[in-house]
Coordinates of all heavy atoms in Angstrom, one line a residue:
F270 N 119.4 87.9 72.8 CA 118.4 86.8 73.0 C 117.9 86.9 74.4 O 116.7 86.8 74.7 CB 119.0 85.4 72.7 CG 118.0 84.3 72.9 CD1 117.1 84.0 71.9 CD2 117.9 83.7 74.1 CE1 116.2 83.0 72.1 CE2 117.0 82.7 74.4 CZ 116.1 82.3 73.3
R271 N 118.8 87.0 75.4 CA 118.4 87.1 76.8 C 117.6 88.3 77.1 O 116.7 88.2 77.9 CB 119.7 87.0 77.6 CG 120.4 85.7 77.6 CD 121.8 85.7 78.2 NE 122.3 84.3 78.2 CZ 123.6 84.1 78.5 NH1 124.4 85.1 78.9 NH2 124.0 82.8 78.5
A272 N 117.9 89.4 76.4 CA 117.1 90.6 76.6 C 115.7 90.4 76.2 O 114.7 90.8 76.8 CB 117.7 91.8 75.8
G273 N 115.5 89.6 75.1 CA 114.1 89.3 74.7 C 113.4 88.4 75.7 O 112.2 88.4 75.8
M274 N 114.2 87.5 76.4 CA 113.5 86.7 77.4 C 112.9 87.5 78.5 O 111.9 87.0 79.1 CB 114.6 85.7 78.0 CG 114.9 84.5 77.0 SD 113.5 83.5 76.5 CE 113.0 82.9 78.1
A275 N 113.3 88.7 78.7 CA 112.7 89.5 79.8 C 111.2 89.7 79.4 O 110.3 89.7 80.3 CB 113.4 90.8 79.9
E276 N 111.0 90.0 78.1 CA 109.6 90.3 77.7 C 108.7 89.0 77.7 O 107.5 89.0 78.0 CB 109.6 90.8 76.3 CG 110.2 92.2 76.1 CD 109.4 93.4 76.7 OE1 108.3 93.1 77.2 OE2 109.8 94.5 76.5
V277 N 109.4 87.8 77.5 CA 108.7 86.6 77.6 C 108.3 86.3 79.0 O 107.1 85.9 79.3 CB 109.5 85.4 77.0 CG1 108.8 84.1 77.2 CG2 109.9 85.6 75.6
I278 N 109.2 86.5 80.0 CA 108.9 86.3 81.4 C 107.8 87.3 81.8 O 106.9 86.9 82.6 CB 110.2 86.6 82.2 CG1 111.2 85.5 81.9 CG2 109.8 86.6 83.7 CD1 112.6 85.7 82.5
K279 N 107.8 88.5 81.2 CA 106.7 89.5 81.5 C 105.3 88.9 81.2 O 104.4 89.0 82.0 CB 107.0 90.7 80.7 CG 105.9 91.8 80.8 CD 106.0 92.9 79.7 CE 105.5 92.4 78.4 NZ 105.5 93.5 77.4
Y280 N 105.2 88.2 80.1 CA 103.9 87.6 79.7 C 103.5 86.6 80.7 O 102.3 86.4 81.0 CB 103.9 87.0 78.3 CG 104.0 88.1 77.2 CD1 105.1 88.2 76.4 CD2 102.9 88.9 77.0 CE1 105.1 89.1 75.3 CE2 103.0 89.9 76.0 CZ 104.1 90.0 75.2 OH 104.1 90.9 74.2
G281 N 104.5 85.8 81.2 CA 104.1 84.9 82.3 C 103.6 85.5 83.5 O 102.6 85.0 84.1
I282 N 104.2 86.6 83.9 CA 103.7 87.3 85.2 C 102.3 87.9 84.9 O 101.4 87.8 85.8 CB 104.7 88.3 85.6 CG1 106.0 87.7 86.0 CG2 104.1 89.2 86.7 CD1 106.0 86.9 87.3
L283 N 102.1 88.6 83.8 CA 100.9 89.4 83.7 C 99.7 88.6 83.3 O 98.6 89.2 83.4 CB 101.2 90.6 82.7 CG 101.4 90.3 81.2 CD1 100.1 90.2 80.4 CD2 102.2 91.5 80.7
D285 N 99.9 84.6 82.1 CA 100.1 83.2 81.6 C 101.0 82.5 82.6 O 102.2 82.3 82.4 CB 100.7 83.3 80.2 CG 100.7 81.9 79.6 OD1 100.4 80.9 80.2 OD2 100.9 81.9 78.3
A286 N 100.4 82.0 83.7 CA 101.1 81.3 84.7 C 101.7 80.0 84.2 O 102.8 79.6 84.6 CB 100.2 81.0 85.9
D287 N 101.0 79.4 83.3 CA 101.6 78.1 82.7 C 102.9 78.4 81.9 O 103.8 77.6 81.9 CB 100.5 77.5 81.7 CG 99.4 76.9 82.5 OD1 99.5 76.6 83.7 OD2 98.3 76.7 81.9
L288 N 102.9 79.6 81.2 CA 104.2 79.9 80.5 C 105.3 80.1 81.5 O 106.4 79.7 81.3 CB 103.9 81.2 79.7 CG 105.2 81.8 79.1 CD1 105.8 80.8 78.1 CD2 104.8 83.1 78.3
F289 N 105.0 80.8 82.6 CA 106.0 81.0 83.7 C 106.5 79.6 84.2 O 107.7 79.4 84.3 CB 105.4 81.8 84.8 CG 106.4 82.3 85.8 CD1 107.0 83.6 85.6 CD2 106.8 81.5 86.9 CE1 107.9 84.0 86.6 CE2 107.7 82.0 87.8 CZ 108.3 83.3 87.6
L290 N 105.6 78.7 84.4 CA 106.0 77.4 84.9 C 106.8 76.7 83.9 O 107.8 76.0 84.2 CB 104.7 76.6 85.3 CG 104.0 77.0 86.5 CD1 102.6 76.3 86.6 CD2 104.8 76.7 87.8
E291 N 106.5 76.8 82.6 CA 107.2 76.2 81.5 C 108.7 76.7 81.5 O 109.6 75.9 81.4 CB 106.5 76.4 80.2 CG 107.2 75.7 79.0 CD 106.5 75.9 77.7 OE1 105.5 76.7 77.7 OE2 106.9 75.4 76.7
L292 N 108.8 78.0 81.7 CA 110.2 78.6 81.7 C 110.9 78.1 83.0 O 112.1 77.9 82.9 CB 110.1 80.1 81.7 CG 109.5 80.7 80.4 CD1 109.3 82.2 80.5 CD2 110.4 80.4 79.2
E293 N 110.2 78.1 84.1 CA 110.9 77.6 85.4 C 111.4 76.2 85.2 O 112.5 75.8 85.8 CB 109.9 77.7 86.5 CG 109.8 79.0 87.2 CD 108.9 79.0 88.5 OE1 107.9 78.3 88.5 OE2 109.4 79.6 89.4
S294 N 110.6 75.3 84.5 CA 111.0 73.9 84.4 C 112.1 73.7 83.3 O 112.7 72.6 83.3 CB 109.8 73.1 84.1 OG 109.2 73.4 82.9
C295 N 112.3 74.7 82.5 CA 113.3 74.6 81.5 C 114.7 74.6 82.0 O 115.0 75.4 82.9 CB 113.1 75.8 80.5 SG 114.3 75.7 79.1
K296 N 115.5 73.7 81.6 CA 116.9 73.6 82.1 C 117.7 74.9 82.0 O 118.4 75.3 82.9 CB 117.6 72.4 81.5 CG 119.0 72.1 82.0 CD 119.7 70.9 81.4 CE 121.1 70.7 81.9 NZ 121.7 69.6 81.3
D297 N 117.6 75.5 80.8 CA 118.4 76.7 80.5 C 117.7 77.6 79.6 O 117.8 77.5 78.3 CB 119.8 76.3 79.9 CG 120.6 77.5 79.6 OD1 120.4 78.6 80.1 OD2 121.6 77.3 78.7
P298 N 116.9 78.5 80.1 CA 116.1 79.5 79.3 C 117.0 80.6 78.8 O 116.4 81.6 78.2 CB 115.0 79.9 80.2 CG 115.6 79.9 81.5 CD 116.6 78.7 81.5
S299 N 118.3 80.6 79.0 CA 119.1 81.7 78.6 C 119.7 81.6 77.2 O 120.4 82.5 76.7 CB 120.3 81.8 79.6 OG 121.2 80.8 79.4
S300 N 119.3 80.6 76.4 CA 119.8 80.4 75.0 C 118.8 79.7 74.2 O 118.0 78.9 74.8 CB 121.1 79.7 75.0 OG 121.0 78.4 75.4
L304 N 116.6 76.3 75.5 CA 115.2 76.2 75.4 C 114.7 75.0 74.6 O 113.8 74.3 75.0 CB 114.6 77.5 74.8 CG 114.4 78.8 75.6 CD1 114.0 79.9 74.7 CD2 113.5 78.6 76.8
T308 N 110.1 74.4 72.8 CA 109.8 75.4 73.7 C 109.9 76.8 73.1 O 109.1 77.7 73.4 CB 110.7 75.3 75.0 OG1 110.5 74.0 75.6 CG2 110.4 76.4 76.0
I312 N 106.9 79.6 73.1 CA 107.0 81.0 73.7 C 106.7 82.0 72.6 O 106.1 83.1 72.9 CB 108.3 81.2 74.5 CG1 109.5 81.3 73.5 CG2 108.5 80.2 75.6 CD1 110.8 81.7 74.3
Y339 N 104.4 96.3 82.2 CA 104.9 95.6 83.4 C 106.4 95.7 83.4 O 107.0 95.2 82.4 CB 104.4 94.2 83.6 CG 105.0 93.5 84.8 CD1 104.7 94.0 86.1 CD2 105.8 92.4 84.7 CE1 105.2 93.4 87.2 CE2 106.4 91.8 85.8 CZ 106.1 92.3 87.1 OH 106.6 91.7 88.2
G359 N 115.6 95.0 77.1 CA 115.1 93.9 77.9 C 115.8 93.7 79.2 O 115.2 93.3 80.2
A363 N 114.1 93.8 82.8 CA 114.3 92.8 83.8 C 114.6 93.5 85.2 O 114.0 93.1 86.2 CB 115.5 91.9 83.4
L364 N 115.4 94.5 85.2 CA 115.7 95.3 86.4 C 114.4 95.9 86.9 O 114.1 96.0 88.1 CB 116.7 96.3 86.2 CG 118.1 95.8 85.9 CD1 119.0 96.9 85.4 CD2 118.7 95.2 87.2
M366 N 111.3 94.8 86.5 CA 110.5 93.8 87.1 C 110.9 93.4 88.5 O 110.1 93.2 89.4 CB 110.4 92.5 86.2 CG 109.7 92.7 84.9 SD 109.3 91.2 84.0 CE 110.9 90.7 83.4
V367 N 112.2 93.3 88.7 CA 112.7 93.1 90.0 C 112.3 94.2 91.0 O 111.8 93.9 92.1 CB 114.2 92.9 90.0 CG1 114.8 92.8 91.5 CG2 114.6 91.6 89.3
W379 N 101.7 91.0 96.7 CA 102.1 89.6 96.5 C 103.1 89.2 97.5 O 103.6 90.0 98.3 CB 102.4 89.3 95.0 CG 103.8 89.7 94.5 CD1 104.6 90.7 95.1 CD2 104.5 89.2 93.3 NE1 105.8 90.8 94.3 CE2 105.7 89.9 93.2 CE3 104.2 88.3 92.4 CZ2 106.6 89.7 92.2 CZ3 105.1 88.1 91.3 CH2 106.3 88.8 91.2
R381 N 106.6 87.5 99.2 CA 108.0 87.4 99.1 C 108.4 86.2 98.2 O 109.4 86.3 97.4 CB 108.7 87.4 100.4 CG 110.2 87.2 100.4 CD 110.9 88.4 99.7 NE 110.8 89.6 100.4 CZ 111.2 90.8 99.9 NH1 111.7 90.9 98.7 NH2 111.0 91.9 100.6
A382 N 107.7 85.1 98.4 CA 108.1 83.9 97.7 C 107.9 84.1 96.2 O 108.7 83.7 95.3 CB 107.2 82.7 98.2
D383 N 106.8 84.8 95.8 CA 106.5 85.0 94.3 C 107.6 86.0 93.8 O 108.1 85.8 92.7 CB 105.1 85.6 94.1 CG 104.0 84.6 94.2 OD1 104.4 83.4 94.1 OD2 102.9 85.0 94.3
A384 N 108.0 87.0 94.6 CA 109.0 87.9 94.1 C 110.3 87.2 93.9 O 111.0 87.5 92.9 CB 109.1 89.1 95.1
E385 N 110.6 86.3 94.8 CA 111.9 85.5 94.6 C 111.8 84.6 93.4 O 112.8 84.4 92.8 CB 112.1 84.7 95.9 CG 112.6 85.6 97.1 CD 113.9 86.3 96.7 OE1 114.8 85.7 96.2 OE2 114.0 87.6 97.0
R386 N 110.7 84.0 93.2 CA 110.5 83.1 92.0 C 110.8 83.9 90.7 O 111.5 83.5 89.8 CB 109.1 82.5 91.9 CG 108.9 81.3 92.9 CD 107.5 80.8 92.8 NE 107.2 80.2 91.5 CZ 106.0 79.9 91.0 NH1 104.9 80.2 91.8 NH2 105.8 79.4 89.8
Q387 N 110.2 85.1 90.7 CA 110.4 86.0 89.5 C 111.9 86.3 89.4 O 112.5 86.2 88.3 CB 109.6 87.3 89.7 CG 109.9 88.3 88.5 CD 109.2 89.6 88.7 OE1 108.3 89.9 88.0 NE2 109.7 90.4 89.7
K388 N 112.5 86.7 90.5 CA 113.9 87.1 90.4 C 114.8 85.9 90.0 O 115.8 86.1 89.2 CB 114.4 87.6 91.8 CG 115.7 88.2 91.9 CD 116.0 88.8 93.2 CE 117.4 89.5 93.3 NZ 117.7 90.1 94.6
Q389 N 114.5 84.8 90.5 CA 115.3 83.6 90.2 C 115.2 83.2 88.7 O 116.2 82.8 88.1 CB 114.9 82.4 91.1 CG 115.4 82.5 92.5 CD 114.8 81.5 93.4 OE1 114.2 80.5 93.0 NE2 114.9 81.7 94.7
L390 N 114.0 83.3 88.2 CA 113.8 83.0 86.7 C 114.5 84.1 85.9 O 115.1 83.7 84.8 CB 112.3 83.0 86.4 CG 112.0 82.6 84.9 CD1 112.6 81.3 84.5 CD2 110.5 82.6 84.7
I391 N 114.4 85.3 86.3 CA 115.1 86.4 85.5 C 116.7 86.1 85.5 O 117.3 86.2 84.5 CB 114.9 87.8 86.1 CG1 113.4 88.2 85.9 CG2 115.8 88.8 85.6 CD1 112.9 89.4 86.6
A392 N 117.2 85.7 86.7 CA 118.6 85.4 86.7 C 118.9 84.1 85.9 O 120.0 84.0 85.2 CB 119.0 85.1 88.2
K393 N 118.0 83.1 86.0 CA 118.2 81.9 85.2 C 118.3 82.1 83.7 O 118.9 81.4 83.0 CB 117.1 80.9 85.5 CG 117.2 79.5 85.0 CD 116.1 78.6 85.5 CE 116.2 77.2 85.0 NZ 115.0 76.4 85.4
A394 N 117.6 83.2 83.3 CA 117.5 83.6 81.8 C 118.8 84.4 81.5 O 118.9 84.9 80.3 CB 116.3 84.3 81.5
G395 N 119.7 84.6 82.4 CA 120.9 85.3 82.1 C 120.8 86.8 82.2 O 121.6 87.5 81.6
L396 N 119.8 87.3 82.9 CA 119.5 88.7 82.9 C 119.9 89.3 84.3 O 120.0 88.6 85.3 CB 118.0 88.9 82.7 CG 117.5 88.7 81.3 CD1 116.0 88.4 81.3 CD2 117.8 89.8 80.4
P397 N 120.2 90.6 84.3 CA 120.6 91.3 85.5 C 119.5 91.4 86.5 O 118.3 91.5 86.2 CB 121.1 92.7 85.1 CG 120.3 92.9 83.8 CD 120.1 91.6 83.2
T398 N 119.8 91.3 87.8 CA 118.8 91.5 88.9 C 119.2 92.5 89.9 O 118.5 92.7 90.9 CB 118.6 90.1 89.6 OG1 119.9 89.7 90.1 CG2 118.1 89.1 88.6
I431 N 101.7 85.1 90.4 CA 102.3 84.7 89.1 C 101.2 84.4 88.2 O 100.4 83.5 88.3 CB 103.1 83.3 89.3 CG1 104.2 83.5 90.4 CG2 103.7 82.9 88.0 CD1 105.3 84.5 90.0
G432 N 101.0 85.4 87.2 CA 99.9 85.3 86.2 C 98.9 86.3 86.4 O 97.8 86.3 85.7

Side-chain angles (χ1 to χ4, degrees):
F270 180 85
R271 291 170 177 170
M274 284 302 300
E276 297 283 3
V277 176
I278 294 169
K279 175 191 80 173
Y280 287 116
I282 294 291
L283 66 86
D285 192 343
D287 289 340
L288 173 60
F289 192 93
L290 287 170
E291 184 177 2
L292 294 173
E293 276 189 315
S294 63
C295 181
K296 183 178 179 180
D297 178 20
S299 70
S300 69
L304 281 175
T308 301
I312 67 173
Y339 179 64
L364 291 167
M366 289 194 290
V367 171
W379 75 342
R381 172 63 64 188
D383 281 346
E385 285 302 314
R386 283 178 66 193
Q387 176 187 249
K388 187 175 180 179
Q389 288 170 12
L390 181 55
I391 289 169
K393 189 177 179 182
L396 289 158
T398 59
I431 303 296

